[in-house]
Amino acid sequence: MTEPVRVGSLRGIMMRGPGVSATLPFYEDMWGLSLSHKEDGVALLRGTGTEPFLYGLKDGPVFGIEYVHFAMPDRASMDALHAQVIAKGHSPISAPAEFDDWAGGYGFEMLDPDNRRLRFRTEARVLDDQKDWAKPKKVSHVVLNTPDMNGTQTFYEEVLGFRASDYSADQMVFLRCNTDHHSIALVRGNYASVNHVAFEMPTLDEFMRGIGRMKQKGHVPSWGPGRHGPGNNPFAYFVSPSGFVIEFTSELQQIDETTHEAKVWSRTDPEAMDRWMTAGPPTPAQRAVMQGRPDPGFPELRTR
């Protein structure tokens, strides 16, 4: 049996909502990102790595995801992924082509089962590494709430080549496209929405210093710091000025494809959710904000 074409990596995400571009100072002054490009109603923020942007802010009428941003290694793999999408019975929004936006490159877009726009890009603009300490290097993972977790999991696995790394009971699945334990995770919800976006700090010390920077500026974690069971990654969650949940993390588990077996983690064992037992379980308020606001996505872009 031929192995499916796999998405290369997660680049980041573009968020949208009323007035979100005006929250740029929060991400620059507190979160540790830097402005890489700005145009009317759009701000693109970079980390310390070479990605043109990790997190985008786009003004729009509805709070939610403008698109989740993925990378492919080259044009051949991009074309192969596009062909696979069609072979699996899905209609991309566009054929692979040159992007005319600031990040440039080549790729295509499609919608997932929840009408979220997914953008796949190769040959994007490359920035110089920055040496700033205790600043996010990349987007580690994006967690999505979905009313059909099983169906959406099947889509990411069969159409985009993701694999299940672990489960949190029957309420959450962690999906990988490379050695990172998860780039996408799905949570069973009542409606489609963004749960949270996690930013990777290079080291545990930098993870803690990032929390310290936020606290010094009067912004304390809404949950954490702690260390998750699935993925074994430290976590500290905050709520952005727009009401989106964002996370500092580090040391995400790296998967050995030859030996790893997906495990079902308990949701009733406190140490499965926080191995350090410093954060405890999320409060009802934290769970509520992680449910997010209903995001209809872009059903009008469906081509079938």
Side-chain angles (χ1 to χ4, degrees):
M1 182 177 177
T2 304
E3 287 289 321
V5 180
R6 300 181 71 181
V7 167
S9 62
L10 175 67
R11 287 187 182 275
I13 193 167
M14 175 81 82
M15 306 302 297
R16 59 171 158 75
V20 296
S21 69
T23 66
L24 174 61
F26 165 84
Y27 294 98
E28 290 183 299
D29 301 338
M30 300 176 70
W31 197 246
L33 299 178
S34 302
L35 181 67
S36 58
H37 179 72
K38 190 175 184 182
E39 54 193 67
D40 187 33
V42 177
L44 303 181
L45 290 145
R46 65 166 297 176
T48 60
T50 60
E51 278 292 327
F53 72 97
L54 304 183
Y55 201 70
L57 305 170
K58 181 176 181 179
D59 294 335
V62 180
F63 285 105
I65 295 172
E66 182 70 11
Y67 60 82
V68 185
H69 198 195
F70 296 101
M72 295 298 288
D74 50 41
R75 292 196 178 207
S77 60
M78 184 71 73
D79 292 343
L81 180 65
H82 182 264
Q84 177 172 280
V85 167
I86 294 173
K88 293 293 183 178
H90 294 265
S91 298
I93 297 168
S94 59
E98 302 281 345
F99 285 110
D100 63 0
D101 62 351
W102 176 80
Y106 173 86
F108 70 97
E109 296 181 334
M110 70 176 301
L111 299 182
D112 79 359
D114 290 324
N115 293 318
R116 294 185 187 91
R117 181 159 50 188
L118 311 179
R119 178 172 290 186
F120 306 93
R121 190 191 309 259
T122 190
E123 300 179 2
R125 181 187 293 262
V126 177
L127 304 183
D128 292 334
D129 272 312
Q130 294 182 337
K131 304 302 180 186
D132 293 345
W133 194 69
K135 302 290 181 68
K137 184 174 181 63
K138 71 173 189 175
V139 168
S140 168
H141 54 270
V142 171
V143 179
L144 306 168
N145 300 316
T146 174
D148 181 12
M149 190 181 86
N150 296 341
T152 305
Q153 176 185 352
T154 297
F155 165 83
Y156 277 91
E157 290 177 338
E158 294 187 356
V159 180
L160 301 180
F162 282 76
R163 299 175 183 177
S165 295
D166 279 310
Y167 296 85
S168 179
D170 63 349
Q171 298 299 304
M172 189 171 185
V173 59
F174 300 86
L175 300 170
R176 70 184 184 276
C177 58
N178 49 34
T179 58
D180 286 351
H181 179 271
H182 58 288
S183 296
I184 295 290
L186 305 173
V187 180
R188 200 179 299 277
N190 294 322
Y191 47 79
S193 60
V194 60
N195 185 288
H196 70 272
V197 177
F199 295 80
E200 181 180 293
M201 294 296 212
T203 64
L204 188 60
D205 273 352
E206 289 171 278
F207 163 81
M208 291 301 297
R209 182 63 184 88
I211 297 170
R213 179 177 64 246
M214 294 289 287
K215 291 184 74 173
Q216 290 295 317
K217 294 176 179 291
H219 209 100
V220 299
S222 56
W223 184 31
R227 186 186 280 272
H228 287 311
N232 195 37
N233 53 305
F235 65 86
Y237 295 86
F238 297 82
V239 181
S240 78
S242 298
F244 295 124
V245 179
I246 48 179
E247 176 192 2
F248 282 143
T249 192
S250 189
E251 298 184 344
L252 183 68
Q253 179 184 352
Q254 296 299 297
I255 297 296
D256 181 343
E257 295 285 3
T258 63
T259 60
H260 182 77
E261 294 184 8
K263 172 182 174 180
V264 179
W265 292 77
S266 169
R267 291 178 74 87
T268 58
D269 177 3
E271 292 198 39
M273 196 166 290
D274 176 15
R275 301 179 78 171
W276 286 342
M277 294 299 288
T278 52
T283 64
Q286 179 68 25
R287 291 189 185 279
V289 73
M290 292 174 90
Q291 287 177 6
R293 291 156 288 203
D295 183 0
F298 298 91
E300 71 278 6
L301 297 180
R302 285 219 175 267
T303 55
R304 67 176 180 91

